[in-house]
Amino acid sequence: MAEIRHSVCALDCPDACGLVLKIEDGRATRIQGTPGHPVTQGFLCGKVARYLEREYSPNRLTTPLRRVGAKGEGRFEPITWDEALSVITERFQAIIADHGAEAILPYSYGGSMGLLQANGMDRRFFHRLGASRLDRTICASAGTAGLMATQGIRYGIDPEAFVHSKLIIAWGANVLTTNVHLWPFIVEARRRGAKFIVIDPVRTKTASLADQHIRINPGSDLALALGLMHLLFANNQADEEYLKAHASGWTDLRETAQAYTPEKVSAWTGIPAADIIELAREYGETKPAVIRLNYGVQRSERGGAAVRAVAMLPVITGAWRHVGGGLQLSTSQAFHFNRTALEMPELQPHPTRLVNMSELGSALTKLNDPPVKALFVYCSNPAAVVPDQRAVLAGLSREDLFTVVVEQFQTDTADYADLVLPTTTFLEHTDIYGAYGHHYVQLARPALPPPGQARSNVEIFRELALRLGFDEPAFTESEDDMIRGILSSGHKHLDGITLERLDIERSVRLNLGEGLFRPFADGGFGHADGKADLRPLDLDYVPPIESRHGDFALRQSFPLELISPKNHDSMNSTFGNRLDVDRQTAILHISTADAGPRGIASGDSVRVFNGRASVVLAAEVDGVVGPGTVSSPSLRWPKKQPGGLNINALVSERLTDIGGGATFYSCLVQIEKCGD
Ligand SMILES: Nc1nc2c(c(=O)[nH]1)N[C@H]1C(S)=C(S)[C@@H](COP(=O)(O)OP(=O)(O)OC[C@H]3O[C@@H](n4cnc5c(=O)[nH]c(N)nc54)[C@H](O)[C@@H]3O)O[C@H]1N2
Ligand SMILES: Nc1nc2c(c(=O)[nH]1)N[C@H]1C(S)=C(S)[C@@H](COP(=O)(O)OP(=O)(O)OC[C@H]3O[C@@H](n4cnc5c(=O)[nH]c(N)nc54)[C@H](O)[C@@H]3O)O[C@H]1N2
Ligand code: SF4
Ligand SMILES: [Mo]
């Protein structure tokens, strides 16, 4: 008899889909999106439609492993959990005795969006241990800082509201690839007459299906936003009533923006002046108008300021007033979970050292007082995803570094571990989920048994805490108690949302009032004065150092801007073990203008290099990028790449202007055809 079980997709994706599994003879035989879920709408993206392949892969890790080969070589032998946990306990105690607990560094990011697995027992454990804390900057921190600077709170409109829009601008947002559940709402809006514009250096799947693709030079969005402001004010399309009531600093901004004439902005962005004028006219005229801003814009040197400026646009036009107007970057803060109850920062013996995860290479090779002597990795694959990969790998190779990796698969990072611990997938453990692209809280109970001896992060950290003698109640709390804590913030958005209710309904909409969420229709921004902050401080456009208008000497040697946006069929490095994904992430898109003079044709091997490294990829000479830009869908497993380095060996450790983020999309390179 077939049985139906429910779950939630835990991948790092704004859509946070509800899932339905069909179970036959104890095995899942089908995975589907939850029908009737207002955002999932019964369908899944291609990668998770194939998730059962991963779930039941013969390559899943099923027992703890101890390294027997050299670091990075990938030779291991099975050991018992008891041995593995004893080794960790002893090594941690010795490191603490010799160097202090801050010599231990946890390292985690987006493997799971589940609050228990990714922000729960792990945080409590490392806080109590007194370990260094990790500043989780690798994905969104510049955009977060930019959005906060303008709005004072990270609210955005509902995906369901997009159907009411008449103009939708996907700005650095590859909707079809990274946010596919927004797509049906865009399709419906267009059926009702909306225009859909994409602003992206790459002709993505989304851009190729848009009414208009505006190709922008990487890292120049701040200039475009300022140029649009200039025109909106000059054409009297600013909503002065809204600005007077709900914004501060806008008269100074109006003055600053005057310098950004269409001609000047055109030179920086590569967008014809006439198109800039037309875009401003349409954005100023059309109501409701919404901007779907995603994180592509903020992975560059001025990315924080760019997000700040883009977030000012719907304030200037008063687009927030209308249903279907405003902006969506992230909806995450609307959940108002009780993070303190979950993470328990008060368990720290003193405020401990904060280490920026985007600078892992430096942390492992340069940091002192104390040096990092133990690295504990879970929910992340730093050997593949972090900038300045050669420094990261040099650090991971250190004989005196004790590395533990909790994984589902034998990643590059796992190859460098002293101990590898097998862990569960989201289908196998309990967790609670918010979202960054919608407003539904969801609960998932284990739908499938873990393979072999795999254990969840929560179980692993609970056991380690016991072994280290931590006797606070924090470490014996059940998963259900942790969830009750998360829901206990007392914020009105969570009123009436209980564990019991989630167990029955599985997905519950936040209490956002009647109808669609209109966060700033009547002002109410997150700053103390309730206003949006439009002061133009530090807002002037300066091109990124690593860009076509950047450092002169650098661009003489390395004249092409490399970006490495998300691959359609993968999730960062998560599906890097798949052959089809491996092929897709081995590609470099090159324009005809750049390929021709170098004698490069599609299918050729090209060497992509700069002062940091050299990587060989397969050329695709097509219209995907414009002259001066090359693009490689990310992210390949480095060990699949000849030379053992992926694209992140080319990326610098330089941080964004605000938020301490990584600058993956500010990277200058040169390319040449490989010799026969
Ligand atoms: N299929 C798939 N889905 C994913 C992921 C994945 O790896 N694969 N990753 C997940 C994660 S971790 C995240 S954070 C989200 C990210 O979701 P997105 O932010 O949508 O993804 P990105 O590909 O980083 O960037 C979006 C677009 O910005 C463009 N871009 C790059 N530089 C610039 C620029 O300077 N200006 C402008 N205007 N555009 C620019 C890129 O070409 C890309 O098309 O996606 C999530 N979903
Ligand atoms: N060049 C370039 N580099 C990038 C990006 C880019 O666009 N270009 N994007 C950046 C961005 S936006 C992000 S978010 C980062 C992502 O970087 P990471 O967060 O490291 O993401 P993944 O590569 O998906 O690796 C997640 C790992 O967690 C494991 N995992 C999954 N679930 C669990 C679990 O429950 N427990 C444990 N212990 N492990 C689990 C998976 O098997 C997988 O190996 O990469 C960044 N790096
Ligand atoms: S990755 Fe995103 S779109 Fe795909 S199933 Fe998960 S939440 Fe849904
Ligand atoms: Mo991300």
Side-chain angles (χ1 to χ4, degrees), residues 260-419:
Y260 292 83
T261 60
E263 294 67 32
K264 233 175 167 177
V265 173
S266 172
W268 277 316
T269 59
I271 305 169
D275 291 0
I276 297 168
I277 294 168
E278 180 60 13
L279 177 65
R281 192 192 58 74
E282 283 188 303
Y283 183 66
E285 245 173 47
T286 315
K287 293 172 194 343
V290 64
I291 298 173
R292 176 50 165 130
L293 179 62
N294 216 331
Y295 290 104
V297 167
Q298 53 96 63
R299 299 190 215 290
S300 72
E301 290 170 31
R302 294 305 307 286
V307 167
R308 231 179 99 202
V310 173
M312 291 176 180
L313 294 170
V315 181
I316 293 171
T317 60
W320 284 112
R321 289 178 189 267
H322 315 115
V323 175
L327 179 124
Q328 192 196 76
L329 172 59
S330 170
T331 58
S332 62
Q333 216 176 341
F335 288 85
H336 291 284
F337 289 129
N338 190 344
R339 292 268 183 167
T340 309
L342 177 63
E343 301 181 11
M344 300 194 176
E346 70 278 8
L347 288 170
Q348 284 171 93
H350 55 90
T352 55
R353 173 169 78 177
L354 197 58
V355 175
N356 187 329
M357 73 184 300
S358 301
E359 297 176 310
L360 180 65
S362 287
L364 294 180
T365 55
K366 294 189 191 137
L367 204 60
N368 250 314
D369 202 23
V372 177
K373 300 297 279 187
L375 183 72
F376 198 114
V377 182
Y378 56 103
C379 290
S380 184
N381 184 10
V385 307
V386 177
D388 199 357
Q389 191 164 79
R390 286 174 60 174
V392 173
L393 297 183
L396 291 173
S397 304
R398 271 173 44 202
E399 277 308 322
D400 66 326
L401 178 73
F402 175 60
T403 302
V404 180
V405 175
V406 185
E407 252 302 344
Q408 299 161 348
F409 284 81
Q410 190 66 31
T411 59
D412 284 83
T413 310
D415 284 350
Y416 286 88
D418 294 284
L419 292 175

Side-chain angles (χ1 to χ4, degrees), residues 9-11 13-17 19 43-45 47-48 180-181 571:
C9 176
L11 296 185
C13 167
D15 299 2
C17 289
L19 306 178
F43 78 96
L44 297 176
C45 65
K47 50 201 178 292
V48 174
V180 67
H181 291 84
M571 174 57 61

Side-chain angles (χ1 to χ4, degrees), residues 12 109 139 299 566 572:
D12 188 351
Y109 201 70
C139 167
R299 299 190 215 290
K566 306 306 185 194
N572 304 311

Side-chain angles (χ1 to χ4, degrees), residues 16 28 40 55 155 184 206 233 250 374 436-437 503 551 574 632 670 672:
T40 307
E55 176 68 22
Y155 282 173
T206 312
F233 282 117
W250 62 276
Y436 58 100
D503 254 324
D551 180 81
T574 291
S632 181
Q670 177 60 292
E672 66 184 16

Side-chain angles (χ1 to χ4, degrees), residues 236-276:
N236 291 318
Q237 287 175 319
D239 183 340
E240 289 207 5
E241 197 186 289
Y242 188 87
L243 285 168
K244 279 178 188 151
H246 305 305
S248 61
W250 62 276
T251 49
D252 291 343
L253 178 69
R254 185 171 56 189
E255 224 161 278
T256 298
Q258 271 173 14
Y260 292 83
T261 60
E263 294 67 32
K264 233 175 167 177
V265 173
S266 172
W268 277 316
T269 59
I271 305 169
D275 291 0
I276 297 168

